[in-house]
PDB file of all heavy atoms in Angstrom:
ATOM      1  N   ARG W 134      -7.921  21.401  14.362  1.00 64.00           N
ATOM      2  CA  ARG W 134      -7.815  20.096  15.011  1.00 64.00           C
ATOM      3  C   ARG W 134      -8.412  18.987  14.148  1.00 64.00           C
ATOM      4  O   ARG W 134      -8.509  17.849  14.562  1.00 64.00           O
ATOM      5  CB  ARG W 134      -8.508  20.111  16.378  1.00 64.00           C
ATOM      6  CG  ARG W 134      -7.782  20.978  17.386  1.00 64.00           C
ATOM      7  CD  ARG W 134      -8.309  20.754  18.786  1.00 64.00           C
ATOM      8  NE  ARG W 134      -7.513  21.451  19.776  1.00 64.00           N
ATOM      9  CZ  ARG W 134      -6.409  20.951  20.331  1.00 64.00           C
ATOM     10  NH1 ARG W 134      -5.972  19.772  19.975  1.00 64.00           N
ATOM     11  NH2 ARG W 134      -5.744  21.646  21.234  1.00 64.00           N
ATOM     12  N   GLU W 135      -8.818  19.351  12.945  1.00 61.00           N
ATOM     13  CA  GLU W 135      -9.390  18.342  12.057  1.00 61.00           C
ATOM     14  C   GLU W 135      -8.288  17.406  11.566  1.00 61.00           C
ATOM     15  O   GLU W 135      -7.212  17.847  11.201  1.00 61.00           O
ATOM     16  CB  GLU W 135     -10.039  19.010  10.831  1.00 61.00           C
ATOM     17  CG  GLU W 135     -11.199  19.923  11.165  1.00 61.00           C
ATOM     18  CD  GLU W 135     -11.665  20.695   9.942  1.00 61.00           C
ATOM     19  OE1 GLU W 135     -11.300  20.287   8.823  1.00 61.00           O
ATOM     20  OE2 GLU W 135     -12.389  21.678  10.120  1.00 61.00           O
ATOM     21  N   GLY W 136      -8.586  16.119  11.536  1.00 55.00           N
ATOM     22  CA  GLY W 136      -7.629  15.144  11.026  1.00 55.00           C
ATOM     23  C   GLY W 136      -8.016  14.691   9.638  1.00 55.00           C
ATOM     24  O   GLY W 136      -9.159  14.797   9.239  1.00 55.00           O
ATOM     25  N   GLU W 137      -7.041  14.215   8.892  1.00 55.00           N
ATOM     26  CA  GLU W 137      -7.294  13.674   7.565  1.00 55.00           C
ATOM     27  C   GLU W 137      -6.876  12.220   7.570  1.00 55.00           C
ATOM     28  O   GLU W 137      -5.745  11.882   7.860  1.00 55.00           O
ATOM     29  CB  GLU W 137      -6.475  14.437   6.511  1.00 55.00           C
ATOM     30  CG  GLU W 137      -7.115  15.723   6.037  1.00 55.00           C
ATOM     31  CD  GLU W 137      -8.395  15.500   5.257  1.00 55.00           C
ATOM     32  OE1 GLU W 137      -8.440  14.607   4.407  1.00 55.00           O
ATOM     33  OE2 GLU W 137      -9.355  16.228   5.513  1.00 55.00           O
ATOM     34  N   ASP W 138      -7.790  11.319   7.271  1.00 56.00           N
ATOM     35  CA  ASP W 138      -7.447   9.917   7.191  1.00 56.00           C
ATOM     36  C   ASP W 138      -6.610   9.703   5.931  1.00 56.00           C
ATOM     37  O   ASP W 138      -7.014  10.149   4.867  1.00 56.00           O
ATOM     38  CB  ASP W 138      -8.753   9.103   7.113  1.00 56.00           C
ATOM     39  CG  ASP W 138      -8.522   7.627   7.360  1.00 56.00           C
ATOM     40  OD1 ASP W 138      -7.575   7.317   8.081  1.00 56.00           O
ATOM     41  OD2 ASP W 138      -9.283   6.829   6.816  1.00 56.00           O
ATOM     42  N   PRO W 139      -5.414   9.109   5.970  1.00 54.00           N
ATOM     43  CA  PRO W 139      -4.793   8.395   7.078  1.00 54.00           C
ATOM     44  C   PRO W 139      -3.734   9.226   7.797  1.00 54.00           C
ATOM     45  O   PRO W 139      -2.657   8.714   8.118  1.00 54.00           O
ATOM     46  CB  PRO W 139      -4.149   7.223   6.354  1.00 54.00           C
ATOM     47  CG  PRO W 139      -3.667   7.835   5.067  1.00 54.00           C
ATOM     48  CD  PRO W 139      -4.628   8.962   4.741  1.00 54.00           C
ATOM     49  N   ALA W 140      -3.976  10.481   8.035  1.00 66.00           N
ATOM     50  CA  ALA W 140      -2.971  11.353   8.631  1.00 66.00           C
ATOM     51  C   ALA W 140      -2.725  11.016  10.102  1.00 66.00           C
ATOM     52  O   ALA W 140      -3.611  10.573  10.816  1.00 66.00           O
ATOM     53  CB  ALA W 140      -3.417  12.807   8.496  1.00 66.00           C
ATOM     54  N   SER W 141      -1.483  11.268  10.532  1.00 84.00           N
ATOM     55  CA  SER W 141      -1.132  11.193  11.947  1.00 84.00           C
ATOM     56  C   SER W 141      -1.076  12.621  12.468  1.00 84.00           C
ATOM     57  O   SER W 141      -0.542  13.506  11.794  1.00 84.00           O
ATOM     58  CB  SER W 141       0.235  10.524  12.122  1.00 84.00           C
ATOM     59  OG  SER W 141       0.211   9.216  11.618  1.00 84.00           O
ATOM     60  N   VAL W 142      -1.640  12.849  13.633  1.00 83.00           N
ATOM     61  CA  VAL W 142      -1.671  14.198  14.204  1.00 83.00           C
ATOM     62  C   VAL W 142      -0.751  14.263  15.416  1.00 83.00           C
ATOM     63  O   VAL W 142      -0.852  13.454  16.335  1.00 83.00           O
ATOM     64  CB  VAL W 142      -3.106  14.600  14.623  1.00 83.00           C
ATOM     65  CG1 VAL W 142      -3.107  15.997  15.225  1.00 83.00           C
ATOM     66  CG2 VAL W 142      -4.052  14.526  13.431  1.00 83.00           C
ATOM     67  N   LEU W 143       0.178  15.218  15.386  1.00 83.00           N
ATOM     68  CA  LEU W 143       1.072  15.437  16.512  1.00 83.00           C
ATOM     69  C   LEU W 143       0.766  16.825  17.068  1.00 83.00           C
ATOM     70  O   LEU W 143       1.028  17.837  16.417  1.00 83.00           O
ATOM     71  CB  LEU W 143       2.532  15.353  16.057  1.00 83.00           C
ATOM     72  CG  LEU W 143       3.602  15.601  17.125  1.00 83.00           C
ATOM     73  CD1 LEU W 143       3.494  14.570  18.249  1.00 83.00           C
ATOM     74  CD2 LEU W 143       4.989  15.564  16.499  1.00 83.00           C
ATOM     75  N   SER W 144       0.171  16.874  18.247  1.00 84.00           N
ATOM     76  CA  SER W 144      -0.184  18.154  18.856  1.00 84.00           C
ATOM     77  C   SER W 144       1.026  18.752  19.565  1.00 84.00           C
ATOM     78  O   SER W 144       1.655  18.087  20.395  1.00 84.00           O
ATOM     79  CB  SER W 144      -1.328  17.972  19.858  1.00 84.00           C
ATOM     80  OG  SER W 144      -2.507  17.614  19.175  1.00 84.00           O
ATOM     81  N   ILE W 145       1.345  19.999  19.216  1.00 83.00           N
ATOM     82  CA  ILE W 145       2.461  20.702  19.846  1.00 83.00           C
ATOM     83  C   ILE W 145       1.892  21.498  21.015  1.00 83.00           C
ATOM     84  O   ILE W 145       1.069  22.395  20.829  1.00 83.00           O
ATOM     85  CB  ILE W 145       3.175  21.645  18.848  1.00 83.00           C
ATOM     86  CG1 ILE W 145       3.487  20.895  17.542  1.00 83.00           C
ATOM     87  CG2 ILE W 145       4.432  22.218  19.478  1.00 83.00           C
ATOM     88  CD1 ILE W 145       4.344  19.668  17.705  1.00 83.00           C
ATOM     89  N   GLU W 146       2.315  21.137  22.213  1.00 84.00           N
ATOM     90  CA  GLU W 146       1.742  21.733  23.420  1.00 84.00           C
ATOM     91  C   GLU W 146       2.708  22.729  24.054  1.00 84.00           C
ATOM     92  O   GLU W 146       3.892  22.767  23.733  1.00 84.00           O
ATOM     93  CB  GLU W 146       1.417  20.627  24.440  1.00 84.00           C
ATOM     94  CG  GLU W 146       0.561  19.493  23.902  1.00 84.00           C
ATOM     95  CD  GLU W 146      -0.884  19.895  23.671  1.00 84.00           C
ATOM     96  OE1 GLU W 146      -1.266  21.004  24.129  1.00 84.00           O
ATOM     97  OE2 GLU W 146      -1.620  19.122  23.044  1.00 84.00           O
TER      98      GLU W 146
END
Side-chain angles (χ1 to χ4, degrees):
R134 291 192 173 274
E135 297 172 16
E137 277 293 316
D138 194 29
S141 299
V142 179
L143 178 61
S144 293
I145 311 302
E146 307 288 349

